[in-house]
Every structure is written in structure tokens, then in C-alpha cells.
Amino acid sequence: AQRVTQPEKLLSVFKGAPVELKCNYSYSGSPELFWYVQYSRQRLQLLLRHISRESIKGFTADLNKGETSFHLKKPFAQEEDSAMYYCALIPPGTYKYIFGTGTRLKVLA
Amino acid sequence: SQTIHQWPATLVQPVGSPLSLECTVEGTSNPNLYWYRQAAGRGLQLLFYSVGIGQISSEVPQNLSASRPQDRQFILSSKKLLLSDSGFYLCAWSTGTSGNTIYFGEGSWLTVV
């Protein structure tokens, strides 16, 4: 069965420190992968997607097919990065988005 | 531009009462529509999705049902609420092409008392 695993419920880092939010997935093929973010009092929104291969707000995510991972990284965390982050996948040819359990990132001053 | 609205934003209902959460999308046609429940420690759980009018896929057997009476309207219902139905419900949409971005509404807080 398809599954997305985010092992950390909470990640606390100091401002200026590197950040890595882990995401592992279970799928035998090549799914489309996303990171979504939910800031306080805002709706859940797209941060970035694998197919775009872009950096958004300094965040990047690299797909490692061998390790079936799609970790989210940022070299220098900022306080405004504090939010809930969800990793998600969708198997090709389907409309069913599968989300992980989420990781709450707290960036400390 | 496309927008998604869901209501009510908050709802307090007694056990055994019915439920109706509504969601509409504007600015697009034939969207895929979704209902998710967001719970602490359990992430986003897909409840239902629909690829067209009258087409509903249920992902989790439970006390809820969904309907799509119009192209851009998606309704989450229950005949008799349970305490365990309390939670944060999110409506979402995506375009008809598989793999595209999914967009979320602002959510509805349901408290069953």
C-alpha cells in the first residue's frame, strides 16, 4: 500500500541553523511528490513539488529513489519558517493524494 | 482565478445529530474534489474524493458520507454524529489531470459534544 512517513512530529532548530525535514514513501513506481506547509492561521498550501525542481523560500527537496525519500532542506532556518509541514505523494494516473502525518517545525530565536 | 470555499468554519453539534459541511469551488470546471480530516499525530486522512458528479470514492469506512450534487459542490454529511467525529475537516480540489497540485480550503472545526 502507498504510504508516506514523516518520522518526526516536532523539530526544533535555532535561527540560522540548517533544517532537514524527513519524508520517506512506500510506492513501487515513480510517484509525484509534494511538500505542503501550513502557517499559523493560514490554509494548507503548496510549498514545492518534485517535478518543478525549484527552490521556494530557500527550501529544496531532492528525490532519492534508492532510499525512497524526499527530504526537505533549508541551509539557514528563519523564524517565519515555523509551521506544520506535510509530505505527500500521488501515484501516476490517479487522483488520490496521500499525505504523511506532518512535522511541526519550530525555529527558535 | 480559482477559489475554494467551505462552511461553516466552526460547528458544535450534539452526539446523534446530523452533519452537513459544504464546499464549493469557483473559477474552474470539472475539478476533482476531496474531503480530508486533519488530526494531531495522524496527519491528513483522506476521507472521500470525487472525479465527477455523482462519483464518490470512500477511503475510510466510518460514520460519514459524501455527495457531489453539482460539478463544483462537495458535501460531507452524517446522519448521526459520534464523539469520534470531532476534528478539523478540509475540503480540497485539483484539476482533472493526474499529478497536479491540490488546493485546500480553510477548513471546518467540528466539535461533537
Side-chain angles (χ1 to χ4, degrees):
Chain A
Q2 301 103 7
R3 181 179 296 175
V4 176
T5 302
Q6 294 179 250
E8 303 140 327
K9 290 186 178 180
L10 173 65
L11 183 63
S12 296
V13 300
F14 286 101
K15 178 182 175 181
V19 173
E20 182 179 63
L21 300 170
K22 291 183 169 51
C23 172
N24 289 89
Y25 65 91
S26 299
Y27 184 71
S28 58
S30 298
E32 182 58 39
L33 291 154
F34 306 80
W35 276 99
Y36 278 77
V37 61
Q38 189 171 30
Y39 301 104
S40 178
R41 295 188 177 85
Q42 294 186 30
R43 67 179 67 192
L44 192 60
Q45 58 189 284
L46 176 70
L47 179 62
L48 57 82
R49 53 185 297 179
H50 164 249
I51 196 171
S52 301
R53 301 185 187 278
E54 56 192 346
S55 173
I56 304 295
K57 298 184 178 182
F59 284 98
T60 59
D62 293 321
L63 174 61
N64 185 322
K65 291 186 178 181
E67 296 182 356
T68 58
S69 68
F70 189 56
H71 303 328
L72 183 68
K73 300 178 183 179
K74 185 171 183 177
F76 307 104
Q78 299 174 322
E79 290 182 76
E80 53 265 35
D81 295 328
S82 296
M84 191 74 177
Y85 291 81
Y86 290 95
C87 182
L89 72 79
I90 180 170
T94 74
Y95 304 101
K96 183 178 166 183
Y97 296 80
I98 300 164
F99 286 80
T101 52
T103 298
R104 181 165 296 282
L105 174 63
K106 288 189 177 181
V107 181
L108 309 172
Chain B
S1 63
Q2 302 90 356
T3 57
I4 180 170
H5 304 282
Q6 66 175 101
W7 68 94
T10 59
L11 194 61
V12 180
Q13 292 286 98
V15 170
S17 65
L19 170 73
S20 180
L21 298 178
E22 295 193 31
C23 172
T24 59
V25 179
E26 298 176 358
T28 187
S29 59
N30 197 31
N32 301 318
L33 297 171
Y34 306 82
W35 280 109
Y36 283 86
R37 180 163 53 202
Q38 188 178 26
R42 298 183 63 183
L44 283 170
Q45 183 184 34
L46 178 61
L47 302 176
F48 303 95
Y49 70 98
S50 171
V51 299
I53 296 175
Q55 300 179 59
I56 309 294
S57 296
S58 175
E59 292 298 306
V60 182
Q62 57 201 323
N63 188 41
L64 301 170
S65 62
S67 61
R68 184 170 179 173
Q70 300 181 40
D71 181 43
R72 291 171 290 175
Q73 184 183 25
F74 206 26
I75 298 173
L76 184 68
S77 303
S78 174
K79 292 182 179 179
K80 291 185 178 181
L81 284 168
L82 306 172
L83 287 174
S84 57
D85 292 324
S86 294
F88 190 56
Y89 291 84
L90 288 165
C91 183
W93 74 275
S94 69
T95 65
T97 303
S98 175
N100 280 351
T101 302
I102 186 171
Y103 300 93
F104 287 88
E106 293 186 337
S108 298
W109 275 108
L110 170 65
T111 303
V112 183
V113 296

